[in-house]
Amino acid sequence: MSKIKLMSHLVAGYPTDELALTAARALIKGGADILEVQLPFSDPSADGPAIQTACTEVLGRKYRTADGLAFIAQIHSEFPEVPIYLMSYGSLIYTPGVAAFCKKASEAGVKGMIIPDLPFDFDEGLTEACKKNGMINIPVAAPSMSEERLSKMAHAGFPFIYAALRTGITGTDTKIDSGTIDFLKRVGAGGSKIYGGFGISNGVQSAALSDSVEAVVAGSVFVRIISENAGDKDKLFSAVKAKALEITHLEQ
């Protein structure tokens, strides 16, 4: 049985800090290679219902950016070998100042930033601030981009690009077909390694992507499992771990 790399998505503090940490441990035990930790945001543009609901619940507890960074620091202290990418939206990064935010993120243990609504070529200094603080900026490519713009991103020298496998929001099922694979080839035409996500929830999808991406990205599927098992810590751990194992371990 072979393994594909997995970047797994978590909403910081959901449904509680303790259970979010339990989920992080389960994901890593299940084979997740990278944790993508989302800072809860009130008006997300790329997130489907599961992640939107999770963000709303956490924000209802008066959860702040500092709490999210403290959560990341806790995971990093326990699993220093696991890269953590921070996912959020532009206003949370821009408001305190991009340089100041990146410094704090780096100090918390963040290795990369994924900010979908900051365009790769007008990123308010994010790429430069990441470099200065030992992190990488990971721009998001979408199938709706023009060929000219997609080529410009692909050849801009980013080490990694997050390829959204379809238009719309996260969470609904994504069919991997020849068009998907062709899109991934164009995203990687400049040599960037590709993370492929949006609607990934099972090993069949992972297998279809395994020759085309550096890692698959799965998020809403885990948020739903966490939500369904929030009343039982042990069940939550087991269910999250099992799903991670299913997505990462490919049948020969």
Side-chain angles (χ1 to χ4, degrees), residues 14 27 58 68-69 75 78 84 90 101 104 106 124 135 150 170 175 180-181 188 201 203 217 250:
Y14 179 74
L27 287 165
V58 177
L69 291 176
I75 297 173
E78 190 169 334
I84 299 173
F101 186 94
K104 286 184 178 180
S106 177
E124 304 294 343
M135 303 187 297
L150 184 59
T170 61
K175 182 184 177 189
T180 310
I181 303 305
S201 61
V217 188
L250 310 178

Side-chain angles (χ1 to χ4, degrees), residues 201-241:
S201 61
N202 59 63
V204 174
Q205 293 167 308
S206 295
L209 291 168
S210 60
D211 292 333
S212 302
V213 299
E214 171 72 8
V216 293
V217 188
S220 293
V221 62
F222 291 120
V223 174
R224 284 193 290 267
I225 291 170
I226 291 165
S227 178
E228 290 163 5
N229 295 280
D232 188 323
K233 184 177 177 181
D234 291 337
K235 277 183 69 178
L236 185 153
F237 183 93
S238 297
V240 169
K241 177 187 170 185

Side-chain angles (χ1 to χ4, degrees), residues 3-111:
K3 182 183 182 299
I4 188 171
K5 287 184 179 178
L6 169 65
M7 182 201 301
S8 53
H9 181 105
L10 273 178
V11 175
Y14 179 74
T16 65
D17 281 337
E18 181 187 4
L19 289 176
L21 189 59
T22 297
R25 290 168 178 151
L27 287 165
I28 293 167
K29 191 74 171 174
D33 302 273
I34 303 163
L35 292 183
E36 179 192 14
V37 180
Q38 176 168 351
L39 297 183
F41 190 67
S42 58
D43 188 26
S45 58
D47 298 314
I51 294 176
Q52 285 188 38
T53 300
C55 287
T56 300
E57 283 192 29
V58 177
L59 290 171
R61 305 201 323 255
K62 309 297 182 188
Y63 202 84
R64 303 182 67 83
T65 297
D67 300 315
L69 291 176
F71 173 69
I72 288 171
Q74 188 174 4
I75 297 173
H76 179 64
S77 68
E78 190 169 334
F79 303 100
E81 74 287 356
V82 177
I84 299 173
Y85 295 161
L86 184 153
M87 183 264 161
S88 192
Y89 290 92
S91 64
L92 278 186
I93 313 305
Y94 183 79
T95 301
V98 173
F101 186 94
C102 285
K103 185 173 185 294
K104 286 184 178 180
S106 177
E107 288 169 353
V110 173
K111 296 300 181 189

Side-chain angles (χ1 to χ4, degrees), residues 118-124 149 152-153 158:
L118 276 184
F120 74 95
D121 47 356
F122 295 97
D123 67 4
E124 304 294 343
R149 186 160 178 75
K152 186 180 177 184
M153 177 189 283
F158 290 101

